[in-house]
Amino acid sequence: MLIHNLSQLLTLSGGPQRGSDLGRLNILPNGAVLVRGETIAAVGAADELLAAYPHEQRFDAGGGAALPGFVDPHTHLIWAGDRAAEFEMRLEGKTYLEILAAGGGILSTVRATRAASLEQLKAQTRLRMQTAFRHGTTTAEAKTGYGLEAASELLQLQALLELDAEGPLELAPTYLGAHAIAPEYRDNPDGYADLLCGEMLPELRRWWDAHAAGRALPFVDIFCETGAFTLAQSRRVLLAARELGFPLKIHADEFDNLGGASLAAELGAASADHLVKTSTADIAALAASGTVAVALPCTPFGLAEPHYTPARQILAAGGLLALASDLNPGTAWCENMQFVIALACRYLGLTPAQAVAAATINAAAAVGRSERIGSLEPGKQADLIVLSVPDYRHLGYRFGGNLVKHVIKKGRVYTNGE
Ligand code: NIG
Ligand code: FE
């Protein structure tokens, strides 16, 4: 299939973009993409490719701009129920951490999720995947984390693997058994960290080898935060995970600066995420490492808090910056990466070009997949989106709607509104 009639083809070629390099879109005007099966076979000028492949099936993209499908590298995609009542409590003055400390927040979603069957979890999650896909996300990281006990965490992981197999949205799974202190360990948080290290993570490894042998291991993540896990507990859990072979992620500095970002850099984590209260020293440590800094602007927006990730400081220090939705029922129920880009342009000080690169090639790096997705280059998976507008800068500029007309996933075309 030869995709042509594209006003702008944003290739994002050349690999992840660090520091001031961010925003190198490598745009071909009047470009075209040759897709063979699930893979991009060629990218070039439309007149040249149309002449070189005269018998190829053609797909007329209607004059829109095209770019790699969005990669959303931080979602809590799978849960049961909702927290609309807590949203109202927050508007009336309770803070997120106060609600968590009183046994609500993450713990109220844990109660609903523990009570849900595999089929119920899949049905609720599938709706969110469809929404994300229609808005241009072609790969999403997806965390467990609303079980906080081995069986429930593994049931969420099983649901994620089954949903990934259904497609078309592709998932990169993460085990977040360390999302909060399990209610059974409320008075013994170290006991829950011991359980994670001594039992839950080894069980995860055995489960994975039995159920997903041959697949890359999932990430292991932890919420390093006041009211969740301390820095010392985070180090212990992440070291145990690394020992078992798992790649790492961390939730760091969402509300307080505990040093999680430097820990991520030291341990070689794939990413450190949130980074709102991150210190200058932590930013320097991240920038000197291969760890991707993932900003989640929907979270302060969703909490109506004034502080956002200091993205420009991270870039000035030479860091690798990515964007994600943080899709979750507490702080950010948003499946739409276009809205994330709109927030990043306003509150993180990014240009549309920088935000697009942070939501594609750099986001792919945050899930360890930048060799396969995140840019439009021969040999890469044919995951791209075509906008209903000719200028990519409408991403960021416009918000609240959907500018994606076609989503092409593994070479197959899905058209919105049909
Ligand atoms: O990334 N910070 C921890 N996890 C989520 C919130 C999850 C929830 O409130 O259910 C976050 O913001
Ligand atoms: Fe999160």
Side-chain angles (χ1 to χ4, degrees):
M1 178 176 62
L2 186 54
I3 305 167
H4 70 106
N5 194 11
L6 297 166
S7 57
Q8 300 172 329
L9 176 59
L10 282 56
T11 66
L12 279 297
S13 59
Q17 304 179 8
R18 190 176 270 286
S20 58
D21 198 27
L22 186 69
R24 184 174 35 75
L25 301 177
N26 289 340
I27 301 181
L28 292 176
N30 302 313
V33 183
L34 179 69
V35 174
R36 288 278 163 78
E38 299 187 353
T39 309
I40 295 171
V43 174
D47 50 359
E48 286 169 23
L49 287 182
L50 288 166
Y53 299 92
H55 304 299
E56 193 77 25
Q57 181 198 333
R58 294 182 179 184
F59 180 77
D60 183 334
L67 60 152
F70 298 125
V71 177
D72 186 345
H74 183 136
T75 84
H76 302 258
L77 184 67
I78 187 160
W79 75 82
D82 69 71
R83 305 227 297 273
E86 287 183 6
F87 175 58
E88 199 168 48
M89 282 164 69
R90 282 198 278 109
L91 295 176
E92 286 165 357
K94 286 254 180 312
T95 70
Y96 179 82
L97 290 181
E98 280 167 5
I99 294 171
L100 178 63
I106 293 171
L107 297 178
S108 64
T109 300
V110 166
R111 286 188 287 278
T113 304
R114 283 182 179 179
S117 68
L118 179 70
E119 286 311 317
Q120 288 168 333
L121 282 173
K122 279 168 58 179
Q124 295 187 30
T125 302
R126 197 180 282 119
L127 296 176
R128 296 187 277 269
M129 291 172 70
Q130 288 163 352
T131 304
F133 189 75
R134 279 199 299 270
H135 286 85
T137 299
T138 47
T139 299
E141 185 257 12
K143 304 176 194 297
T144 70
Y146 293 113
L148 310 182
E149 60 187 12
S152 176
E153 290 292 323
L154 293 177
L155 191 74
Q156 288 163 57
L157 198 55
Q158 184 183 339
L160 290 173
L161 292 180
E162 292 181 15
L163 289 164
D164 176 54
E166 275 178 24
L169 177 63
E170 210 174 339
L171 301 179
T174 293
Y175 186 85
L176 183 56
H179 196 186
I181 304 297
E184 294 77 8
Y185 287 83
R186 194 189 158 98
D187 301 321
N188 179 18
D190 273 321
Y192 187 55
D194 291 341
L195 184 79
L196 278 159
C197 297
E199 292 181 32
M200 289 171 73
L201 292 174
E203 190 175 345
L204 166 67
R205 182 63 215 244
R206 288 191 297 275
W207 186 93
W208 193 266
D209 292 343
H211 293 81
R215 259 189 88 127
L217 288 168
F219 295 98
V220 167
D221 192 352
I222 189 163
F223 189 17
C224 178
E225 188 60 62
T226 307
F229 293 86
T230 65
L231 185 68
Q233 289 162 346
S234 301
R235 173 185 294 276
R236 212 143 59 77
V237 171
L238 292 177
L239 279 173
R242 194 172 71 170
E243 194 66 28
L244 289 161
F246 295 107
L248 309 178
K249 286 181 171 283
I250 191 166
H251 280 66
D253 308 328
E254 180 176 355
F255 300 104
D256 289 317
N257 179 238
L258 301 192
S262 288
L263 178 64
E266 178 196 326
L267 298 183
S271 72
D273 303 34
H274 283 289
L275 308 174
V276 175
K277 298 294 169 61
T278 307
S279 69
T280 306
D282 286 330
I283 288 173
L286 265 186
S289 77
T291 300
V292 180
V294 180
L296 310 164
C298 285
T299 309
F301 178 81
L303 292 168
E305 284 182 1
H307 301 295
Y308 285 78
T309 303
R312 295 175 75 95
Q313 251 176 278
I314 292 171
L315 294 178
L320 261 171
L321 181 78
L323 288 171
S325 68
D326 197 22
L327 168 59
N328 76 77
T331 61
W333 191 326
C334 175
E335 294 93 340
N336 182 356
M337 285 294 283
Q338 297 170 60
F339 186 65
V340 176
I341 288 170
L343 291 180
C345 290
R346 287 163 183 77
Y347 298 114
L348 271 55
L350 302 187
T351 63
Q354 290 176 319
V356 163
T360 54
I361 187 65
N362 282 13
V367 292
R369 297 190 182 188
S370 60
E371 299 291 320
R372 180 153 68 82
I373 55 173
S375 64
L376 304 179
E377 297 173 86
K380 284 194 131 175
Q381 193 164 290
D383 290 3
L384 59 150
I385 55 182
V386 178
L387 305 183
S388 56
V389 291
D391 183 339
Y392 78 87
R393 292 173 302 181
H394 284 240
L395 292 170
Y397 166 48
R398 291 161 67 168
F399 55 93
N402 188 4
L403 297 174
V404 170
K405 175 74 176 154
H406 306 289
V407 182
I408 298 155
K409 178 63 185 177
K410 292 186 177 172
R412 189 164 160 204
V413 181
Y414 301 80
T415 299
N416 279 326
E418 275 182 10

